[in-house]
Amino acid sequence: MRPISRLIAIVPAGGMGARAADPAADPEAAAPVPPKQYRLLAGQPMLRHAVQALLRDDRIGQVVVAVGPDDVRAGAALEGLPRVACLPCGGATRADTVTNALARCGAEADDWVLVHDAARPGLPPAVLRALIDACLDDEVGGLVAMPVADTIKTQGGGGVPRVAGTVPRDGLWQAQTPQMFRAGLLRRALAHAAVRGLAVTDEASAVEALGLAPRLVAGTLSNFKVTWPQDFALMEKLLDQV
């Protein structure tokens, strides 16, 4: 077994979360709707909940929150939390933000990096612990994911959405976060994807593009990504149970 290296978590938090905006909100209201990571859940910004979920495992030495260059909310949202650093290094895409954070967080090539969505505040300690335990001695690393339970349909063309086919769900998993890889591998994977113009929707997809197979670690429904306006009320209820 390799000696345990440092564990550093990166939380990309530079986006605006347009899909989470409330369509019923008054577009002419004086106060604009804040980016979704700063919307309140149980009286605290969602970003704070997501960072606190990572801090519950003492093996994570630092949580690096990567925000936009003009962000003025992060400091107040994270005030008082230990082992947390904010870096104004958000890029045009998630991959750019993570790449920038990797370059500035001081991680050595052999250190483990866990990337976690700011919009997943419902990460339970047991799931985080299971991911770290599974990956520490893994040659590639891995991610939290959920086996797909619903029947999946594809959509055909045309103005009216219609079913084009049904996808067998055997072996399908829905990716979640955290996703955990060694810093050197993750840097190489993101650089490889950027040079080739590959669409990188999560860190695992960049690692997969190198021909590697990340490990799957079972997640939980409470770790869903807050995306739509109605998700906030559901997450608020679930946070009481995490």
Side-chain angles (χ1 to χ4, degrees), residues 91-191:
T93 66
R94 176 197 177 93
D96 291 339
T97 298
V98 174
T99 297
N100 294 344
L102 282 168
R104 296 183 56 181
C105 72
E108 300 291 340
D110 208 40
D111 289 337
W112 286 105
V113 172
L114 296 91
V115 183
H116 185 52
D117 294 330
R120 293 188 191 271
L123 172 67
V127 172
L128 176 59
R129 183 169 59 250
L131 175 70
I132 294 173
D133 289 346
C135 290
L136 279 177
D137 198 35
D138 195 275
E139 290 299 314
V140 177
L143 67 152
V144 176
M146 287 284 290
V148 172
D150 296 321
T151 298
I152 303 297
K153 304 291 185 182
T154 58
Q155 178 184 323
V160 177
R162 296 190 182 278
V163 173
T166 300
V167 179
R169 64 178 179 233
D170 293 345
L172 292 182
W173 290 66
Q174 182 176 336
Q176 297 184 340
T177 66
Q179 303 194 0
M180 179 172 166
F181 302 101
R182 292 195 182 269
L185 171 60
L186 188 52
R187 288 190 185 106
R188 179 162 60 93
L190 291 170

